[in-house]
Structures are given as C-alpha cells and as structure tokens.
C-alpha cells in the first residue's frame, strides 16, 4: 500500500485531513502533523480515533518514524529551527503510556532522519551536530539507555538500518563521498558513492539512494552485493522506498523542465535496473507501507 500526501481527486486519502500521515508498521495507527488541533503531533488509530497529542502546533517536526513493533514513535521536534538550530530535540513517545523522553539535543534535522533497527529489540540511530563547528556524526541508543557515538572522523550522516547493519554516508573534506557499513561494532567502507542511502531491500542486497547537485535531486539504485551503481534515474525525482525484494523503487517528482522540475508532481514505481515507470497517482511525499524511506530530500 502507498500512502500519499497532497494527492488529487480520487487518490486523496482523507485520514484526518492531515498532511503526511506516518503509518505504524502494523498499519493500525498513524502519526500526523497539521491536523487542526492545538497540538503539533497527534497519534490516531487508522479509523481516526485520537490516541494522544503532543507539543505545540507552532513546533516543526521531522524524521517521524515508528519502531518495528509500533510501540515507540521517534521524531525531531524544533521550537524555533531557524534561530536556534542547535536546540532541536530527538524525542521518543511511548504509545501505550504517552510518556515523552528527550534522548538527544542538537542540530538534528539536516543529516537524515532517525532510523530504527529491524530487530525486535528497538535500537535507534541518528545523525547529530552537538555543537557549532562540529561535524555531523552517527549516534545510537537503546530506549532507557544513554546514547553512544558511533563515528568520529569526517562527515557522517544519513543513517539507514538494514539487515546487515547500519549504512550511512561518509564524506571527506575534499568532496569525496563513500557508503559505509557499521556492523558488530566495526565500520567498513563498501564503495565510493556520491549519494546517500534511503531504503534497503529486506535481504540487504538492493539499496535505493539519493544524490543531489546544484539544488536538484535524483534517485540512484545500488547493488550492494556487487557494490556498484545499477541505474541513475531522472533528476527532479526523489526515492521514497524500495520493494522488499528490491525489484522496484518508489519515486516522486516531476518531469524535468529546463534546469528544474515541471509544475506537476507524480508518484511512480520504477524497476530497480531502470525501465518504464508505472504511474501511481498525482501527488507528493508517498510512503510505502513495506519500506519507509529515511532521509529523503524532496
């Protein structure tokens, strides 16, 4: 199932009339923003029943993601992101109790969103800049325990958890960019890649990545077993998920016109190796139920 925001006509989802609902993995609940109340973030059942509401409608939210068992919601909350970017908070919301725990503070919104491990025991990874002048680095935490810094040198950002471990972009000051894997407490470089990871197939062999230059983005498919780029998709589209088998990628954007996208945004699925796209709907910001992407730059 694909959930859409800002879709037109019969493709519009009417869940709470809210923008960008983020479904729980079991499909029974949704975390939504801009739902018309005094709070900024609400948890609802799929039928529209209010479970809990949090923070202020004046706050901004990013990186909303659910734990695999749908018991925890993680989100980046900012009261004044433009004037106080280093005071953003990464919070965990316990769905059963409504308890909110602040687990990190810093500049959290510019380096990809938080990502949960696929295991039954929740573990969260995220990128953060804790102080002015510092580089972004990857951190990890188990709910109820302190955060642990996983990387230390260079620019480390856009973490995505897959079956083999934690993938992330490692960039050097000279502009070179690599795809690194952190597994078993050790980090290794998989390949040179001028793109960041977004979503991984269920067997960990296929990667949907995103690249950007001069304000324009485009999706990239990567074979992790062969450690090579398979296909670069058209500019002005972004990847929003990958099928469990890795056979297709969910993308959204508009047909390039001159140096930027056209006025009409469409949602499509495309073969992993390239080929004719399949139209899904007019709209933006899709979310694939089987593969929610992390760190997408629309």
């Amino acid at each position: 199932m694909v959930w859409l925001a800002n879709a037109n006509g019969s493709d519009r989802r009417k869940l709470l009339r809210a923008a960008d609902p983020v479904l729980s993995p079991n499909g029974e609940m949704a975390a939504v923003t801009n739902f018309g109340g005094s709070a900024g973030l609400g948890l609802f059942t799929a039928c529209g029943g209010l479970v809990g509401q949090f923070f202020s409608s004046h706050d901004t939210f990013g990186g909303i993601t659910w734990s695999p068992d749908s018991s925890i919601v993680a989100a980046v909350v900012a009261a004044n992101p433009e004037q106080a970017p280093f005071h953003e908070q990464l919070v965990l919301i316990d769905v059963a109790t409504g308890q909110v725990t602040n687990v990190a503070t810093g500049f959290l919104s510019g380096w990809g969103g938080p990502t949960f491990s696929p295991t039954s025991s929740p573990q969260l990874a995220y990128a953060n800049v804790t102080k002015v002048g510092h580089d972004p680095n990857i951190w990890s935490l188990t709910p109820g325990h302190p955060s642990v810094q996983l990387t230390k040198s260079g620019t480390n950002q856009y973490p995505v958890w897959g079956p083999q471990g934690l993938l992330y972009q490692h960039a050097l000051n000279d502009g070179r960019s690599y795809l690194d894997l952190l597994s078993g407490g050790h980090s290794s470089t998989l390949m040179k890649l001028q793109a960041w990871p977004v979503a991984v197939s269920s067997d960990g062999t296929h990667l949907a990545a995103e690249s950007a230059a001069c304000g324009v983005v485009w999706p990239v498919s990567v074979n992790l077993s062969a450690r090579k780029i398979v296909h670069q998709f058209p500019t002005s589209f972004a990847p929003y998920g990958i099928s469990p088998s890795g056979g297709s990628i969910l993308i959204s954007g508009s047909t390039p016109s001159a140096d930027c996208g056209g006025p009409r945004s469409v949602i499509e699925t495309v073969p992993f190796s390239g080929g004719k796209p399949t139209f899904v709907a007019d709209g933006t910001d899709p979310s694939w139920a089987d593969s929610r992407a992390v760190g997408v730059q629309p």
Side-chain angles (χ1 to χ4, degrees), residues 43 50-51 82 249 259 296:
L43 300 183
L50 177 64
V51 176
E82 294 183 357
I249 293 176
D259 292 329
V296 179

Side-chain angles (χ1 to χ4, degrees), residues 238-266:
Y240 283 85
I242 190 169
S243 62
S245 68
S248 57
I249 293 176
L250 178 69
I251 64 173
S252 177
S254 55
T255 302
S257 175
D259 292 329
C260 60
R264 184 181 185 184
S265 179
V266 298

Side-chain angles (χ1 to χ4, degrees), residues 110-128:
W111 329 104
T115 174
F116 276 102
S117 66
T119 61
S120 57
S121 177
Q123 189 175 6
L124 188 72
Y126 60 95
N128 190 13

Side-chain angles (χ1 to χ4, degrees), residues 193-234:
L193 182 65
Q194 292 296 134
W196 58 90
V198 166
V200 190
S201 63
S202 59
D203 64 359
T205 62
H206 291 67
L207 172 69
E210 185 174 7
S211 190
C214 302
V216 179
V217 299
W218 60 88
V220 177
S221 59
V222 180
N223 184 320
L224 293 176
S225 297
R227 301 189 180 187
K228 69 175 185 179
I229 294 175
V230 176
H231 189 74
Q232 177 178 313
F233 295 89

